[in-house]
Amino acid sequence: MANHKSSVKRIRQTKKRQLHNHYYAKTMRNAVRKLRAMTNKDEAIALYPKVQKMLDKLAKTNIIHKNKAANLKSSLCKQINKM
């Protein structure tokens, strides 16, 4: 266990931040999964901007890397265009 007050506080902050980041990363993964599973092009086109916005926000706050966000957006766009 940590010996200093500051390190105990840092452990608390890290746990809280980790839970927060995990929630948003999991939400993003589910949204991407849902979009990939769609077969109707119109529905996919309607959902894509929401997923794109989510990816941009998560990349901006460093929950996911900006290149990962770009790669996901690109692959989703390709998939929608292929429908």
Side-chain angles (χ1 to χ4, degrees), residues 40-83:
N40 187 350
K41 187 171 184 170
D42 295 332
E43 289 178 15
I45 289 172
L47 184 65
Y48 180 71
K50 294 174 187 167
V51 174
Q52 185 178 14
K53 185 178 178 182
M54 187 185 303
L55 289 168
D56 288 336
K57 280 186 177 180
L58 294 178
K60 182 179 165 187
T61 55
N62 290 324
I63 294 174
I64 61 171
H65 196 272
K66 63 178 186 172
N67 290 349
K68 181 183 175 82
N71 289 336
L72 282 171
K73 289 191 296 187
S74 174
S75 66
L76 289 172
C77 198
K78 277 185 194 172
Q79 185 173 354
I80 290 172
N81 287 335
K82 200 186 275 188
M83 286 181 185

Side-chain angles (χ1 to χ4, degrees), residues 2-22:
N3 295 323
H4 297 284
K5 275 185 166 181
S6 61
S7 56
V8 172
K9 180 180 177 181
R10 182 63 68 189
I11 289 168
R12 279 197 321 263
Q13 287 175 329
T14 304
K15 280 184 187 173
K16 188 175 180 182
R17 197 173 298 123
Q18 187 179 17
L19 276 172
H20 177 267
N21 290 345
H22 179 73

